[in-house]
Amino acid sequence: MRTDQILPRLERVFARLDREPERPAHLQTPRMSRHRVVLLGASLAFYLVIVVAVLTTSWLVRLDWQIMFFRPYEQWPQLHAFLDYLVVLGQRGPTAVMVAAWLGWRSWRQHTLRPLITLGVALLLLNVTVGAVKLGLGRLGPHYATEIGSAELFAGGDIFPSGHTANAVVTWGILAYLASTVVTRRVLSLVSAVVSLSVGATTVYLGTHWVSDVLLGWLAGLLVLLALPWFEPLIARVEAYVFDVRARLRSLVEAGQVPEALTGLLVPLLSAGGKWQLQRATAEASEPPTAQPAPPVPSVPSVPPVVVLRRPEPAEPAQVPVAVTVPASASASASAQAAGHQPAARPAVHLPGRPHLIRSERTPLTPGGSRRPAHADRAPGRGAAPRPATGG
């Protein structure tokens, strides 16, 4: 495969990881169903049976001693190196860090704190329940047993139930509990069961726990997982409270009420899992607005003037001044009007029109006779009769 084909695929993968989708709406929290209640009751009953069997030094304690004398680590020494690394999957520190990293990435991708809070609640329940029984019974391990056949209880020990086994059940089972699809939940349930069974058997092989310790550890982890739906309302309230505190801290940081040294530490935390950025409202309000430079005016190319030719208008005939004789009465009236006196109105005088002349009485416009010029070398025709001088 060519390198230029691999790089676009890697870019698509990282682009998918960089996206920040909103919280999925199809995620549903598990409910305490009747099936879960039955499993919880059965697991609790077996838990009490094992505790009573150890307290009464029954056949279960004899089985513990028989396997201890069998010494599995001496029967199969070739597995010792591998199982030393496998048992780490049950230690609380390394497993909690790995699972918390995965759930933290899921919390960032889904914009919710439920995966991390659920892990914290589960580990808290595990430490309280398992730790209380360990310190209460005080059982010693196989390597520190002092009396053969005894239950080694109330001797200051802390191995009953097995913490590695219970931690493996809870830590890896929480992934199946938080799965978003049915297929994923089944696959992760199978994986967590295999890991927890392997870790429990490994502790028996190494001689660090009795068989009864491992059995009680499996049941202790299973009880924590089955009881988690009862704590879902508490998980939701804690998540809402954390988001409320984050919103208040953001407002304080934006208002400038947090010291600068603390602001530098809070900004990365307050902007995690979202697109929030620090915007100081007070600083922006106090600073005067800066004048924005005017955009450059694009230069307009010069256009040569357009000469419009228009036809000249026909000249009006010249006004010839006409001398008008004003009678004395008219001049007197004008002088009286200028002096402020109104002259008396006189009737208009109508002059008679000129008489209409007929055509024969009009003066001819052209002279009579031929319009051609006379020739001196020609004599008038003899047969031509003279034309009258006037038209008619």
Side-chain angles (χ1 to χ4, degrees):
M1 182 179 294
R2 297 171 53 184
T3 308
D4 55 353
Q5 296 178 356
I6 298 176
L7 290 179
R9 294 183 180 180
L10 294 177
E11 292 175 359
R12 289 196 299 268
V13 170
F14 284 108
R16 179 179 177 84
L17 294 179
D18 290 339
R19 289 185 302 176
E20 297 182 4
E22 299 296 333
R23 180 172 180 173
H26 66 279
L27 295 181
Q28 298 180 356
T29 57
R31 298 178 302 172
M32 184 58 72
S33 59
R34 182 179 302 179
H35 178 70
R36 190 181 292 269
V37 171
V38 171
L39 288 178
L40 180 64
S43 300
L44 183 60
F46 278 110
Y47 188 93
L48 297 177
V49 167
I50 292 175
V51 171
V52 171
V54 173
L55 288 175
T56 58
T57 315
S58 63
W59 59 271
L60 186 57
V61 175
R62 294 193 297 270
L63 178 63
D64 291 338
W65 280 98
Q66 291 175 1
I67 295 178
M68 194 275 289
F69 287 133
F70 182 70
R71 292 184 174 86
Y73 56 88
E74 293 182 355
Q75 302 296 328
W76 303 283
Q78 64 275 9
L79 300 177
H80 199 287
F82 171 73
L83 296 180
D84 276 339
Y85 291 100
L86 181 63
V87 77
V88 177
L89 296 178
Q91 292 183 0
R92 186 170 294 110
T95 55
V97 170
M98 290 187 292
V99 175
W102 169 256
L103 295 181
W105 181 78
R106 281 192 57 187
S107 298
W108 174 75
R109 288 276 296 165
Q110 298 177 355
H111 291 193
T112 176
L113 294 177
R114 179 175 172 267
L116 288 176
I117 298 177
T118 304
L119 175 64
V121 171
L123 293 179
L124 181 62
L125 290 175
L126 178 67
N127 291 334
V128 171
T129 55
V130 174
V133 177
K134 277 188 173 186
L135 296 178
L137 295 179
R139 191 180 189 186
L140 296 176
H143 293 309
Y144 303 96
T146 57
E147 183 179 355
I148 299 176
S150 65
E152 302 292 338
L153 294 173
F154 310 107
D158 56 353
I159 64 167
F160 182 71
S162 172
H164 280 69
T165 306
N167 185 74
V169 173
V170 173
T171 306
W172 302 108
I174 201 70
L175 298 179
Y177 178 81
L178 295 173
S180 57
T181 60
V182 178
V183 177
T184 306
R185 184 178 295 109
R186 291 176 179 176
V187 172
L188 292 178
S189 299
L190 179 61
V191 171
S192 62
V194 172
V195 172
S196 58
L197 290 174
S198 302
V199 170
T202 301
T203 57
V204 175
Y205 169 87
L206 296 176
T208 56
H209 281 286
W210 307 99
V211 174
S212 56
D213 300 341
V214 175
L215 294 177
L216 199 65
W218 284 333
L219 292 174
L222 186 59
L223 287 174
V224 171
L225 291 179
L226 292 175
L228 275 180
W230 280 337
F231 295 89
E232 286 293 340
L234 175 63
I235 294 172
R237 287 196 297 269
V238 171
E239 181 183 12
Y241 175 77
V242 172
F243 282 143
D244 183 48
V245 171
R246 186 184 67 172
R248 285 183 290 178
L249 287 177
R250 284 179 176 179
S251 62
L252 292 177
V253 171
E254 291 177 352
Q257 301 179 5
V258 180
E260 293 294 336
L262 188 59
T263 301
L265 299 176
L266 290 178
V267 168
L269 296 177
L270 297 178
S271 60
K275 299 180 180 180
W276 177 81
Q277 294 181 358
L278 176 59
Q279 297 179 357
R280 295 186 181 275
T282 57
E284 292 180 358
S286 60
E287 295 180 358
T290 57
Q292 299 293 336
V297 179
S299 59
V300 180
S302 59
V303 180
V306 180
V307 179
V308 181
L309 299 179
R310 303 180 63 180
R311 299 182 62 181
E313 298 292 337
E316 297 181 358
Q319 300 292 334
V320 179
V322 178
V324 180
T325 303
V326 181
S329 60
S331 59
S333 62
S335 59
Q337 185 177 2
H341 301 283
Q342 294 293 337
R346 293 183 178 182
V349 178
H350 297 277
L351 299 179
R354 290 169 31 178
H356 180 70
L357 301 178
I358 60 177
R359 184 175 181 182
S360 59
E361 295 177 352
R362 295 177 186 173
T363 304
L365 298 179
T366 57
S370 177
R371 295 183 181 181
R372 295 180 181 180
H375 296 276
D377 54 348
R378 293 185 182 181
R382 296 180 180 179
R387 300 182 63 182
T390 60

